[in-house]
Amino acid sequence: MEETLASLRRPKRGRPPRPREEDHAEFEEEAEAEGLAPPQSKRKRAASAAAAAALEDQPLIDIIKHNGRLISHAVKKLVEDYESKKNSVTFQILTMLFEACGAKHEIYPDYLHESDVDEVVFSLVELARKGLVEDNYNSKQKELKNFKENLASFWDNLVLECQNGPLFDNTLFQKIKDYVVALSCTPPRVYRQTASLIGLQLVTSFISVAKTLSGQRETTQRQLNAEKKKQSDGPLVGSLNKRLALTHENITYLEELMRKIFSGLFMHRYRDVEPEIRMSCIKSLGIWVVSYPSLFLQDIYLKYLGWTLNDKDAGVRRTSVLALQSLYEVDDNIPSLGLFTERFYRRMINLADDIDISVAVSAIGLIKQLLRHQLLSDDDLGPLYDLLIDEPPMIRRAIGELVYDHLIAQNIKTSHPGARDEDESSEVHIGRMLQILREFTDDPVLSSYVIDDIWDDMKAMKDWRCMVSMLLDENPAIELTDMDGTNLVCMLRASAKKAVGERIVPAMDNRKLYYNKTQKEVLENSKREITTALLTRYPQLLRKYMSDKAKISPLVDMMILLKLEMYSYKRQEKHFKAAIDLIFDVFFKHGEKDTLRSCIKAITFCCTECQADLKDYAENKLKNLEDELVLKVKNAIKEVEAGDDEYSLLVNLKRLYELQLSKPVKNDGLFEDMYRILSHLREMDNEVKSFLLINMHLQVAWCLHAIDGENPSETSIDELLSKQSSLFEQLYYYLVVLPTYQKEGRSTTVLSCRVCIITAEMWCLFKKSKYSSTRLESLGYLPQLDIVQKFWKLCEQQLNISDETEDEDANEEYIEDTNRDAVMIAAAKLVLADTVSKGYLGPEIVSHYVSHGASTMEIIKHLIASLKKNGIFDIASLFFEALRRAYERYTAHVQDEENETLIGKSYSECQDLASRLAGSYVGAACNKNKSEILKIIRDGVHFAFADLPKQLSFLEAALVPFVSKLPSSDIPDILADVERRTQDTDMNGDQSAWRPYFTFVEHLRQRHEKNEVFQEEKPVRRRGRPRKVRDVPGKKLFDGHNSSDEESISASDHQGHGEDDTDNDADQPLINTVRSSASKLRSLKLSQQGTSGHKGAPGPSGSNS
């Protein structure tokens, strides 16, 4: 009744309703039952007619090359014609196969029908030998860009169209299989590439048909079982039995075809010399195992995936890893993978540190799959945790994701990742994260790396309210230890910095971060959320942890991450003022560098970013801080002069120094007070002296900055000159006193470094040439040579401090400002800026090129490069003088009769210096700068013969590397000059003294006799991870039989492929020097919920035996 009423209703206005698909299907079924063709639109009929017309004129190879849309029509026509023209269709298909390989053949149907497969293939190989081959496979032509896809599509369509007939006639596809296998084993590369593609696609298509037949077999079996329950025998049962047998026979036939292609093609090509062929083989095998496990999920097939984990090509290794990932994703496959996993799991773990980043990242994803199925134990993961501080960010992120899943969210314990994440609170995840950070408490740099790696995956690190609540002990059930509290504060700061778009670890490229509009909105929202969480509770945090020096600095840093205008919008000005007051109190409560800098940075930030009343309040607070600090410094000076303890003065001088780094501190008499106490109390602690000097220097610098260069006042210039003179007086006093100072220790080293650095800065600040011919000419200053010599003597003293001493002081405050690198940079700046006499200081610095470690060497290397670029130095004179002074240090040790070790070391340094300096002339630079090299050699020869025979060892120690840089045509002149100098000399005396002369002459003669023409290649530096040097053959159209068939992955190939080379320490990033600290994670044991059993995999890694 309802249907009748619905049919009588008036239709809605507008377009008529579209016919339903069910109605159309029913109509087609009825039409077919009545023998009628299904209706087609005019457009479809026209397209079919056009396709048929096009097929009449085009050979198959042209369709595949240029008209991929006609492939399905061409295949249907072939299958239709096959019953009546078997030989003709077979010839067309095989001809297309040969032409796809690129062979320009003249093979006719009769010859193809009568000849043996090997005979035909041999003739095709002969065509390749003659060069009659067109490489369609590797062509870069635009019209062939879809050739590979079209070729694979043709064979896939052909198999699917033939599944109801020709596929099982035991003729067509047997012949195709024979030719494909034979061509895949030929020497021409393009034959192997094309035949491999076709053979692999055939197996993939056979699997599709076999899966369809398997479904039909299961359906038939169910029908047969149901029918047998009704009656044990009958025509229907017989029919079903026949259908079941036929289906099973067809499946068996297809599987046999697959096995033959696998043994004939895959087993040879998976080890082909061409990486692309190996890659396609492994990719296809991964697809076969996943899509047809009943045949391919066996160790006899899986072992190839394991062996190619050691392939020398990164692309093949990555393909193998990705194939295994898809394999382990299917839970039903795991029981069959036990032996395979036991054999190859170690190699899978090692690939996480592969030389290729993409392989390493993919391997880490594979390890996550193994962990999810509990196929690895926690002990196996130890080496992976070191990668949390690896250099490439992609690897660190991948390991961070693994650590989060396995140790924090513990998703891997469940069969479905993400199952627990929503059930557990942020407190639980934060607690587990703190447990990890306990291993890095002594190294905040490593903690930052771990936080950075895990941050993207761990939502709890963005739960600001939760972290603040835990720090304020608002949840009685959660008790934080002091260590956990410190780590949580650091995690809060680091996470907040990440959320607002700042870096918490150094970037590899040091490029500035840029964000689009959407990203900026996300960062603003994050800043708003952080501010909302801290708006009222930030003063509570500061008040609670004010006395804790480990926690207060990162908490104060949070101020610059807040959206300060929200204090006004939310009418929370009192909380802002309370926070500023507490930061003010923190500044005067602590004396550590980090805390002081955080306080000044926070208050200064508020002065610039706040609006209206809040800005005025912050500015007044900064002014009060400055006034109170100056008063404290003055009172402390008076107390020390009265004989009291120096601690108060030292702490307040540190505060003054940190404040003056960001702004000038104006107060009449403060400079004079510091000068007075420095002059009168020479027995003060050296650290106090160093902070007095640096504060005086900053006062002078700010005073100079305040002078108007266009219209300077006489008063300001006189005041500055007075301060300049006073500071130089104190600095020069220490330049004289400190080299003879008997008291040793860190404080003496700090004072010496400060004196060297401040002296160099003052000379640069008041460089005479900078102020000449200006109104400030009276400020120009040029130090005398004797002062420069005293300055360098003190610098040398700091350079000679042992590495052990510097390592012991590595955690000291201001160590980066007061070490030998800082001293060397200050001295190098004087030479580069042409501030002092260039003839003395430049050679002295360069003479220490190889004497004080890699960092100092790098500084001097950059200095030399800059001097060459600027052209302000005579490089030949610079190098010769540097060599001469290094040699004179050696002779001084010899004359002083010091121990043999010291003498040998100084002579070795002289030789190394010569090698380094000569090494700066590389490639074309040797010819371009030949005059410089000749001048160095001539000056060196003159010096060596100045006092015969005492200085002849200079020839061997310093000049031999430079001789090697000259072409042999210049050697005779040098040899003649050397021999001329000894014509009238008696050489019968001390033979050991003359030995360097004879050695040098012999070297010249050998160099000349070889008649070498100097050629050197410029070393090319590459970015990224270092590659291993491998002899990888270039791509050739025609390879020998041995290279294609016999090239295999040997046992030696299975060892070490894809692993990192040992780098030169000098080229390693800074973070690599602390890599060993991450080994603590290997012993990391967390209390984990859920199933705790893990399968240990003690078996050996795989081989291809």
Side-chain angles (χ1 to χ4, degrees):
M1 183 66 183
E2 290 178 1
E3 293 179 359
T4 305
L5 291 174
S7 63
L8 294 174
R9 286 178 188 152
R10 181 179 178 180
K12 293 183 179 179
R13 294 183 180 180
R15 292 184 177 182
R18 296 177 61 184
R20 294 179 301 172
E21 293 181 2
E22 296 85 352
D23 297 338
H24 184 66
E26 291 173 4
F27 176 80
E28 287 185 346
E29 291 174 0
E30 292 172 2
E32 288 176 357
E34 295 173 3
L36 300 175
Q40 289 185 334
S41 65
K42 290 183 179 180
R43 183 179 299 177
K44 286 185 177 181
R45 288 196 298 271
S48 300
L55 288 175
E56 294 295 333
D57 303 326
Q58 290 193 40
L60 288 177
I61 189 64
D62 287 346
I63 293 174
I64 290 172
K65 285 182 179 180
H66 311 297
N67 291 314
R69 57 190 176 82
L70 298 179
I71 287 176
S72 60
H73 297 288
V75 170
K76 287 179 181 178
K77 187 174 185 304
L78 287 173
V79 175
E80 289 171 1
D81 295 345
Y82 182 75
E83 291 298 328
S84 58
K85 308 174 187 177
K86 285 188 179 182
N87 291 339
S88 174
V89 171
T90 303
F91 174 74
Q92 290 183 59
I93 293 173
L94 293 179
T95 301
M96 186 277 297
L97 169 61
F98 304 151
E99 291 173 344
C101 290
K104 300 177 181 178
H105 67 91
E106 294 182 358
I107 297 175
Y108 300 100
D110 294 340
Y111 173 74
L112 191 64
H113 181 69
E114 296 171 0
S115 301
D116 184 59
V117 172
D118 292 340
E119 186 178 347
V120 174
V121 170
F122 182 78
S123 66
L124 294 175
V125 170
E126 286 299 315
L127 290 175
R129 287 188 185 279
K130 296 174 183 178
L132 301 176
V133 172
E134 182 183 2
D135 193 350
N136 300 314
Y137 189 91
N138 300 295
S139 176
K140 302 297 182 183
Q141 296 179 25
K142 187 176 180 180
E143 57 268 21
L144 293 176
K145 66 179 181 179
N146 296 322
F147 175 77
K148 298 176 189 177
E149 292 79 0
N150 290 344
L151 185 61
S153 175
F154 172 85
W155 292 101
D156 185 49
N157 275 275
L158 182 63
V159 172
L160 295 179
E161 283 292 331
C162 293
Q163 63 181 312
N164 295 320
L167 179 57
F168 304 103
D169 70 352
N170 206 28
T171 302
L172 176 62
F173 280 91
Q174 287 291 347
K175 191 174 284 289
I176 291 172
K177 181 261 298 179
D178 292 341
Y179 277 103
V180 168
V181 170
L183 285 168
S184 71
C185 296
T186 56
R189 184 189 62 178
V190 66
Y191 286 5
R192 300 199 314 275
Q193 288 175 325
T194 308
S196 297
L197 184 150
I198 294 170
L200 297 173
Q201 180 59 51
L202 283 174
V203 175
T204 305
S205 302
F206 290 160
I207 289 174
S208 298
V209 176
K211 288 173 68 176
T212 302
L213 292 175
S214 297
Q216 293 176 2
R217 182 171 60 181
E218 291 176 4
T219 303
T220 305
Q221 185 67 57
R222 285 197 302 270
Q223 291 174 345
L224 180 60
N225 293 339
E227 193 62 33
K228 283 183 176 180
K229 289 180 180 178
K230 299 177 184 177
Q231 53 183 353
S232 59
D233 197 8
L236 186 55
V237 172
S239 174
L240 290 173
N241 273 320
K242 283 184 181 181
R243 189 194 305 174
L244 184 63
L246 179 62
T247 306
H248 181 73
E249 181 183 345
N250 288 343
I251 293 173
T252 305
Y253 174 78
L254 286 177
E255 290 182 351
E256 186 61 26
L257 267 181
M258 291 185 229
R259 289 191 188 95
K260 288 180 178 179
I261 294 177
F262 186 90
S263 60
L265 186 150
F266 181 93
M267 289 177 62
H268 297 286
R269 298 284 61 79
Y270 93 96
R271 55 187 183 181
D272 195 279
V273 293
E274 193 67 31
E276 184 185 358
I277 296 178
R278 302 202 301 273
M279 205 182 310
S280 59
C281 287
I282 297 305
K283 182 177 180 181
S284 296
L285 179 58
I287 295 171
W288 301 343
V289 176
V290 173
S291 57
Y292 202 59
S294 60
L295 175 62
F296 289 103
L297 188 58
Q298 302 178 56
D299 290 333
I300 58 172
Y301 299 109
L302 295 175
K303 63 184 179 183
Y304 297 101
L305 296 177
W307 288 345
T308 49
L309 292 174
N310 298 283
D311 195 275
K312 60 187 176 183
D313 184 78
V316 180
R317 295 197 301 276
R318 183 170 182 270
T319 303
S320 181
V321 171
L322 293 177
L324 289 173
Q325 276 193 31
S326 60
L327 188 57
Y328 279 98
E329 280 177 0
V330 182
D331 293 346
D332 293 340
N333 293 340
I334 303 305
S336 302
L337 291 169
L339 182 60
F340 174 83
T341 305
E342 185 177 347
R343 190 176 184 187
F344 292 105
Y345 80 100
R346 292 191 185 278
R347 179 58 186 153
M348 298 178 199
I349 294 174
N350 292 338
L351 281 175
D353 197 20
D354 192 86
I355 193 171
D356 185 87
I357 295 176
S358 63
V359 176
V361 173
S362 301
I364 294 167
L366 175 59
I367 292 169
K368 286 178 60 180
Q369 295 285 356
L370 297 178
L371 286 170
R372 184 167 71 89
H373 297 293
Q374 302 181 29
L375 298 174
L376 293 178
S377 66
D378 286 345
D379 293 337
D380 296 324
L381 301 179
L384 295 180
Y385 295 138
D386 288 351
L387 300 178
L388 281 169
I389 55 168
D390 203 18
E391 181 186 354
M394 291 176 63
I395 293 179
R396 291 195 288 105
R397 296 285 188 277
I399 291 291
E401 185 179 348
L402 184 148
V403 169
Y404 172 74
D405 284 343
H406 184 55
L407 299 178
I408 297 175
Q410 298 184 4
N411 294 333
I412 288 174
K413 303 298 183 194
T414 68
S415 58
H416 301 288
R420 293 187 178 198
D421 198 21
E422 298 178 358
D423 299 336
E424 294 179 327
S425 64
S426 295
E427 287 89 345
V428 175
H429 286 189
I430 291 173
R432 292 170 183 162
M433 182 66 181
L434 293 176
Q435 205 163 349
I436 295 174
L437 292 178
R438 286 175 197 166
E439 303 295 331
F440 302 99
T441 301
D442 297 331
D443 200 331
V445 175
L446 296 185
S447 297
S448 298
Y449 270 81
V450 175
I451 292 169
D452 184 65
D453 299 339
I454 300 175
W455 190 84
D456 289 329
D457 301 291
M458 186 171 169
K459 293 181 180 179
M461 266 201 274
K462 295 103 170 170
D463 192 340
W464 317 112
R465 293 184 183 278
C466 176
M467 286 189 278
V468 171
S469 175
M470 291 175 70
L471 286 170
L472 292 175
D473 298 329
E474 293 179 348
N475 187 346
I478 300 175
E479 293 185 6
L480 293 177
T481 64
D482 184 64
M483 182 188 299
D484 288 343
T486 302
N487 288 333
L488 183 55
V489 169
C490 294
M491 187 167 75
L492 174 64
R493 177 186 60 178
S495 183
K497 290 178 73 173
K498 285 277 292 180
V500 300
E502 295 185 20
R503 290 192 177 109
I504 61 174
V505 297
M508 292 177 65
D509 52 11
N510 292 321
R511 287 186 296 180
K512 187 177 180 180
L513 292 172
Y514 291 96
Y515 299 102
N516 58 34
K517 184 178 179 181
T518 304
Q519 291 172 327
K520 288 178 180 178
E521 290 176 356
V522 172
L523 298 180
E524 280 297 309
N525 288 335
S526 298
K527 183 176 281 192
R528 193 174 292 108
E529 291 173 1
I530 295 169
T531 308
T532 302
L534 289 172
L535 202 64
T536 59
R537 295 194 282 182
Y538 187 45
Q540 299 175 39
L541 288 171
L542 292 173
R543 192 174 291 110
K544 178 177 180 180
Y545 295 106
M546 178 178 289
S547 301
D548 193 326
K549 64 181 181 180
K551 300 182 182 67
I552 193 62
S553 177
L555 281 175
V556 173
D557 282 339
M558 292 295 297
M559 175 63 87
I560 64 174
L561 304 175
L562 303 181
K563 198 171 181 64
L564 297 180
E565 57 264 32
M566 289 185 66
Y567 280 99
S568 299
Y569 297 159
K570 302 284 187 177
R571 297 188 178 277
Q572 300 293 333
E573 292 88 346
K574 64 177 182 179
H575 293 292
F576 172 82
K577 294 178 180 179
I580 290 289
D581 291 342
L582 289 166
I583 293 173
F584 180 93
D585 295 341
V586 168
F587 182 80
F588 287 106
K589 192 175 186 65
H590 293 273
E592 297 79 25
K593 179 184 73 172
D594 292 340
T595 305
L596 297 177
R597 288 189 179 177
S598 297
C599 292
I600 293 170
K601 193 174 180 180
I603 297 177
T604 305
F605 176 80
C606 293
C607 292
T608 56
E609 297 297 323
C610 287
Q611 302 294 327
D613 294 343
L614 297 186
K615 182 176 182 177
D616 294 340
Y617 189 85
E619 289 176 345
N620 289 334
K621 210 66 183 177
L622 183 60
K623 183 66 173 67
N624 293 340
L625 183 146
E626 179 183 330
D627 295 341
E628 186 171 339
L629 178 58
V630 171
L631 183 61
K632 285 180 178 290
V633 172
K634 287 192 167 189
N635 290 337
I637 290 174
K638 292 177 182 178
E639 290 173 0
V640 172
E641 288 176 330
D644 286 352
D645 185 66
E646 299 169 2
Y647 177 76
S648 176
L649 176 59
L650 175 61
V651 172
N652 285 296
L653 285 173
K654 283 184 180 181
R655 293 170 181 153
L656 180 62
Y657 168 62
E658 295 297 338
L659 182 60
Q660 286 198 102
L661 286 176
S662 61
K663 68 182 297 292
V665 175
K666 298 179 181 179
N667 185 273
D668 295 335
L670 180 59
F671 184 91
E672 288 73 17
D673 288 346
M674 291 189 288
Y675 170 76
R676 185 182 69 251
I677 191 173
L678 200 56
S679 302
H680 294 166
L681 299 179
R682 298 292 187 186
E683 298 303 318
M684 282 190 301
D685 182 78
N686 287 332
E687 194 173 5
V688 177
K689 295 175 187 176
S690 68
F691 275 102
L692 284 167
L693 287 171
I694 191 65
N695 276 295
M696 291 172 69
H697 166 63
L698 289 174
Q699 288 256 316
V700 171
W702 281 116
C703 188
L704 175 62
H705 179 74
I707 291 179
D708 185 357
E710 298 295 330
N711 297 299
S713 66
E714 291 295 329
T715 305
S716 60
I717 292 178
D718 291 342
E719 180 186 352
L720 180 55
L721 283 172
S722 173
K723 291 181 177 180
Q724 180 201 71
S725 175
S726 300
L727 183 53
F728 274 135
E729 176 191 333
Q730 295 299 322
L731 291 172
Y732 292 168
Y733 168 79
Y734 288 108
L735 286 179
V736 174
V737 170
L738 285 174
T740 60
Y741 198 65
Q742 299 298 319
K743 186 177 179 181
E744 297 182 355
R746 173 64 186 159
S747 62
T748 304
T749 302
V750 169
L751 179 58
S752 300
C753 290
R754 288 290 191 194
V755 169
C756 292
I757 295 168
I758 294 171
T759 302
E761 290 291 339
M762 286 290 290
W763 287 346
C764 288
L765 200 60
F766 294 99
K767 186 171 78 168
K768 195 172 187 66
S769 60
K770 183 164 61 174
Y771 298 101
S772 60
S773 304
T774 68
R775 296 192 177 188
L776 302 176
E777 188 169 6
S778 59
L779 295 177
Y781 183 84
L782 180 64
Q784 299 298 317
L785 180 59
D786 63 322
I787 296 296
V788 177
Q789 290 173 339
K790 292 173 183 176
F791 162 80
W792 179 247
K793 184 178 180 181
L794 185 59
C795 289
E796 271 190 315
Q797 195 177 70
Q798 304 315 302
L799 294 175
N800 290 325
I801 292 175
S802 66
D803 293 334
E804 292 77 10
T805 304
E806 284 225 332
D807 291 341
E808 290 173 3
D809 301 328
N811 294 323
E812 293 283 339
E813 276 190 327
Y814 304 103
I815 184 64
E816 70 277 4
D817 301 329
T818 55
N819 55 23
R820 64 186 177 198
D821 288 349
V823 171
M824 182 58 80
I825 290 171
K829 189 189 297 184
L830 291 174
V831 176
L832 194 57
D834 199 17
T835 303
V836 299
S837 173
K838 63 175 72 172
Y840 172 75
L841 191 56
E844 286 287 355
I845 293 175
V846 175
S847 70
H848 287 265
Y849 196 173
V850 296
S851 304
H852 307 293
S855 57
T856 305
M857 183 186 297
E858 198 66 22
I859 294 167
I860 300 175
K861 178 182 175 182
H862 284 295
L863 171 64
I864 293 172
S866 300
L867 291 176
K868 284 184 175 182
K869 184 178 179 180
N870 295 344
I872 63 175
F873 244 87
D874 181 356
I875 299 298
S877 298
L878 174 69
F879 283 5
F880 167 68
E881 284 297 320
L883 290 167
R884 184 176 66 81
R885 295 181 194 190
Y887 179 77
E888 287 173 347
R889 287 199 295 270
Y890 156 70
T891 56
H893 291 313
V894 173
Q895 291 171 3
D896 294 341
E897 297 182 353
E898 298 188 19
N899 63 70
E900 292 295 327
T901 303
L902 190 58
I903 293 173
K905 180 184 177 184
S906 59
Y907 185 78
S908 177
E909 286 178 356
C910 186
Q911 288 181 310
D912 292 345
L913 174 64
S915 298
R916 284 281 180 177
L917 295 181
S920 64
Y921 297 104
V922 180
C926 287
N927 292 325
K928 180 181 178 182
N929 301 300
K930 187 173 72 171
S931 59
E932 288 183 7
I933 301 173
L934 287 170
K935 186 176 187 304
I936 293 170
I937 294 173
R938 292 192 188 107
D939 291 348
V941 169
H942 179 75
F943 171 74
F945 284 91
D947 188 9
L948 288 174
K950 295 180 180 179
Q951 297 174 174
L952 286 176
S953 57
F954 185 79
L955 296 172
E956 187 178 10
L959 298 187
V960 169
F962 289 94
V963 171
S964 301
K965 298 294 177 179
L966 289 175
S968 60
S969 58
D970 291 320
I971 301 299
D973 294 339
I974 299 172
L975 182 59
D977 181 40
V978 171
E979 291 178 336
R980 180 181 55 79
R981 291 174 183 270
T982 58
Q983 285 179 355
D984 302 325
T985 305
D986 181 14
M987 294 185 285
N988 295 323
D990 185 3
Q991 291 299 308
S992 62
W994 284 95
R995 184 194 56 77
Y997 165 77
F998 294 118
T999 304
F1000 185 68
V1001 169
E1002 183 64 22
H1003 178 76
L1004 289 174
R1005 287 174 178 162
Q1006 290 176 357
R1007 185 87 172 89
H1008 179 55
E1009 288 169 1
K1010 288 180 181 178
N1011 195 24
E1012 296 174 343
V1013 178
F1014 178 81
Q1015 285 185 341
E1016 279 191 38
E1017 293 183 359
K1018 184 176 181 181
V1020 179
R1021 292 179 67 107
R1022 61 177 290 274
R1023 294 184 179 182
R1025 289 186 149 197
R1027 291 196 183 103
K1028 288 191 172 182
V1029 180
R1030 300 190 180 103
D1031 296 328
V1032 181
K1035 292 186 177 182
K1036 297 179 181 178
L1037 179 64
F1038 198 92
D1039 297 321
H1041 286 279
N1042 291 339
S1043 64
S1044 64
D1045 289 341
E1046 302 303 325
E1047 178 77 15
S1048 65
I1049 302 174
S1050 64
S1052 62
D1053 287 330
H1054 284 207
Q1055 297 176 4
H1057 283 314
E1059 296 176 6
D1060 285 334
D1061 290 340
T1062 302
D1063 268 346
N1064 197 349
D1065 288 343
D1067 295 332
Q1068 289 189 1
L1070 177 62
I1071 190 60
N1072 286 358
T1073 62
V1074 291
R1075 176 189 284 266
S1076 58
S1077 300
S1079 60
K1080 295 176 182 178
L1081 268 176
R1082 298 187 180 186
S1083 59
L1084 183 63
K1085 300 293 181 184
L1086 292 180
S1087 54
Q1088 299 176 343
Q1089 300 177 2
T1091 306
S1092 59
H1094 289 276
K1095 176 182 175 182
S1101 59
S1103 67
N1104 65 349
S1105 56

